[in-house]
Amino acid sequence: MYKPNDLIFRTTTSLIAFILLGFSIYLLLAGHNSPGGGFIGGLMTSAAIILMYMAYGSDILRKILPVNYRMLIPTGLLIAAGTGIGSFLFQQPFLSHTYNHFHLPVFGDLELATAMLFDFGVYFTVLGVTVTIILSIAEDR
Amino acid sequence: MSNLAVLPIIIPLIAGIILAFFPKKLALVRTLTKVFIIGNLAVAGFSAWHVFNHGSIILETGDWAAPYGIIIVADQLSVLLVLTTNIMAAACAFYAPYSLPDRKERYYFYTFFFFLITGVSGAFLTGDIFNLFVFFEVLLMASYALIVLGGDKVQLRESVKYVFINLFSSMLFVTAVGFLYGTVGTVNMAQIAQRVQEVDQQGILTAIGILLFFVFAVKAALFPLYYWMPKSYAVPNPVISALFGALLTKVGIYSIIRVFSLIFIHRIDLTHEVFIWIAGLSMIFGVIGALSTNNIKLIIAYNIIPAIGFILWGIGVFNQEAVSGAIYYLIHDMIIKASLFLLVGTIAYAAGTSDLRKFSGLIHYYPFLGWLLFVSGFVLAGIPPFSGFIGKLLLLKGSLADEKVAVVIIALLSSLLILYSIMKIFIRGFWGEKDDTFEPKPVKGRTAPVVALLALSVFLGIGAEFIYPSVESISRYLLDPANYINAVLEG
């Protein structure tokens, strides 16, 4: 049986995947004031996961990231839709957003907006959709 | 209170999302589907009641003032259509468990079903032309999934055609919206209407209007652009065909009504005159198609084309009576097409084939089914006590007042041929000798939703006195775009 020795690929993957994951979180959180946001953040995270999949195969990937990616799609949609409906509780029109300043111990003064929650919803949906598409094509025999 | 306008979009969306978490637990999914669809029907009914008694509901999403944010406009026409959508969606939800194999139901059928309802309700309610495009895509994505669900060979072949033609028209839609935005600098429909009025609809704007008409005519399957429609609507499961036949083409024709009664109304001699000819040709080619085939599902699918033609004819004539007739016919046709697709699906299941040449004498085993088809044929063709009659009568009166005689003759002849195409199913399939080797199958659960829809349709005809004032007030509202513009921009 042909068995490739992809030592270089696997070693660099374990480095690059972490950088990719960190960069995707940065993109997700930076979206409000600079280029980025939920969509590109989700794509970048799924790029990291696909890279790990290519290097290590689906069995190992399932062991280190035991996530059902198909479930991420409705979860993300529910978060996004919930952010819109949340405004109903405060007698505001659908999708109204609000923000406030918080003083957190490590980060200092932070401006947190509910639009962030919507971005998380987009992030999870994009991640779920992309990884589901690629894995279901790849695992199809 | 203004959030009421968005609820018919949100409830199916949430329902679809929740059902996506456990698609394999069929008993729970079916129960939840019925609960959600009944709840949504109640909400749609309440908002319709509210709009007819207290005036349009304008929701400025995100609390951004009118031309800057996305506006949800629940006026009389849109709430009436949302209510009709939910009625026939409820009938489909009750029909689906009997008609779909468990295998298809497990693969997210109900999720896509609810997303389709989300898209359709959204397209009816939005007041923003780019948002209209987005809701078109929502409903088209759901319909791509529904048309291919199960993966039979014919479904794959038809879905390729369906996806390609819709992708192409969506691209044209984006292009048209781009041109429109480049010319008038806004995508809010009320503000577009205001600005088009200010510059008196110059040549470029008429060109954009025709481009938009082309886009919507592809979605609505009008005369030169209908070739993708009949086969791709006939191949999926009857409940999916019913959803498509009753909703998707009607969203296209609704968009034509909205755009050409609100925005592009200053060159009626150019645009609306063309509509009448396209409507007449749609009627002719639709009935030719319906008469040409022996597949009972395809007969019903071809009958969509003349119905869309009738509605467009009302827009083309564009006076009070014709527009009332078009709206009456639109409501009537959504209900009767859903009922006919479900009914014909039941007949094809009962007979074991959808080829008219291969069965006859069904009346000996299914007398009730036979008479249901008989009444449906009368309702569809517009025999006096039933609902198709009132819409067509108004259309005839409207266009005779405008001296458009040719299209009246075409419409009357095509009504006759529509009646013949349905009665052909009745005569060839139900009449005839009793076949003793035939084993009847139980169809009780499948007929109940059809009976409910048909009863409503008959009520639309008999209770016309009760419904007509609302339709008339809608057409009065549509003929004066200032109503809409003022409600959105100053409300």
Side-chain angles (χ1 to χ4, degrees), chain A residues 70-71 73-75 77-78 81-82 85 87-88 91-97, chain B residues 3 6-7 10 13-14 17-18 20-21 23-24 59-63 108 115:
Chain A
R70 211 176 283 174
M71 283 299 140
I73 305 169
T75 314
L77 285 174
L78 202 60
I85 298 169
S87 61
F88 285 18
Q91 305 286 323
Q92 292 294 316
F94 178 64
L95 279 175
S96 295
H97 286 280
Chain B
N3 274 328
V6 82
L7 281 182
I10 290 298
L13 177 66
I14 296 289
I17 294 169
I18 289 175
F21 280 108
K24 303 268 157 41
L59 170 64
E60 294 170 338
T61 55
D63 217 5
Y108 300 94
F115 285 166

Side-chain angles (χ1 to χ4, degrees), chain B residues 151-364:
Chain B
D152 300 334
K153 204 172 175 185
V154 277
Q155 275 180 307
L156 288 176
R157 192 180 63 219
E158 294 307 324
S159 64
V160 169
K161 275 194 273 180
Y162 179 76
V163 170
F164 269 96
I165 191 78
N166 276 302
L167 219 53
F168 178 66
S169 79
S170 295
M171 267 156 53
L172 275 183
F173 196 174
V174 177
T175 317
V177 171
F179 284 148
L180 195 57
Y181 185 68
T183 316
V184 296
T186 175
V187 285
N188 180 297
M189 288 202 234
Q191 209 183 10
I192 295 174
Q194 205 178 31
R195 291 193 172 168
V196 170
Q197 199 177 359
E198 278 163 10
V199 297
D200 201 28
Q201 194 174 333
Q202 291 160 359
I204 177 77
L205 286 164
T206 310
I208 294 168
I210 296 292
L211 190 56
L212 274 177
F213 172 75
F214 185 82
V215 170
F216 296 140
V218 173
K219 314 272 187 198
L222 278 163
F223 158 61
L225 310 160
Y226 68 81
Y227 47 89
W228 57 275
M229 194 270 286
K231 281 222 173 76
S232 60
Y233 277 22
V235 292
N237 198 280
V239 54
I240 297 168
S241 310
L243 282 169
F244 284 14
L247 295 179
L248 300 191
T249 50
K250 305 306 182 291
V251 179
I253 197 75
Y254 162 81
S255 309
I256 293 177
I257 295 180
R258 186 59 95 197
V259 167
F260 287 92
S261 73
L262 177 67
I263 300 172
F264 301 108
I265 48 164
H266 309 283
R267 284 281 185 280
I268 286 186
D269 52 321
L270 267 174
T271 49
H272 291 48
E273 199 76 18
V274 177
F275 293 174
I276 297 177
W277 289 107
I278 292 178
L281 288 168
S282 299
M283 291 171 206
I284 295 171
F285 280 81
V287 285
I288 289 175
L291 293 176
S292 71
T293 172
N294 276 313
N295 183 336
I296 53 176
K297 289 179 181 170
L298 214 51
I299 292 176
I300 307 300
Y302 267 115
N303 265 316
I304 294 174
I305 303 165
I308 296 289
F310 279 117
I311 302 165
L312 186 74
W313 168 27
I315 320 296
V317 176
F318 208 59
N319 58 24
Q320 165 99 46
E321 268 167 334
V323 174
S324 307
I327 290 161
Y328 208 100
Y329 203 83
L330 176 58
I331 305 289
H332 144 81
D333 197 63
M334 281 170 84
I335 293 171
I336 190 65
K337 280 287 143 55
S339 142
L340 267 173
F341 269 112
L342 296 180
L343 182 61
V344 159
T346 311
I347 292 171
Y349 165 79
T353 170
S354 58
D355 191 339
L356 202 50
R357 286 166 298 191
K358 290 192 182 141
F359 64 93
S360 69
L362 281 185
I363 198 95
H364 300 291

Side-chain angles (χ1 to χ4, degrees), chain B residues 47-70:
Chain B
S47 54
W49 175 85
H50 191 273
V51 166
F52 275 102
N53 284 294
H54 305 286
S56 313
I57 311 173
I58 314 287
L59 170 64
E60 294 170 338
T61 55
D63 217 5
W64 290 95
Y68 306 110
I70 289 170

Side-chain angles (χ1 to χ4, degrees), chain A residues 12-94:
Chain A
T12 43
T13 294
S14 45
L15 269 172
I16 290 172
F18 273 101
I19 298 171
L20 273 178
L21 284 171
F23 185 53
S24 71
I25 300 296
Y26 164 75
L27 280 175
L28 169 65
L29 296 176
H32 201 73
N33 298 317
S34 48
F39 188 79
I40 187 70
L43 276 184
M44 196 59 90
T45 308
S46 50
I49 290 171
I50 303 297
L51 184 66
M52 287 194 278
Y53 168 79
M54 289 198 302
Y56 293 99
S58 59
D59 292 336
I60 293 175
L61 192 69
R62 224 171 267 129
K63 215 178 279 171
I64 54 170
L65 277 175
V67 183
N68 185 352
Y69 293 101
R70 211 176 283 174
M71 283 299 140
L72 281 182
I73 305 169
T75 314
L77 285 174
L78 202 60
I79 294 171
T83 326
I85 298 169
S87 61
F88 285 18
L89 297 177
F90 305 97
Q91 305 286 323
Q92 292 294 316
F94 178 64

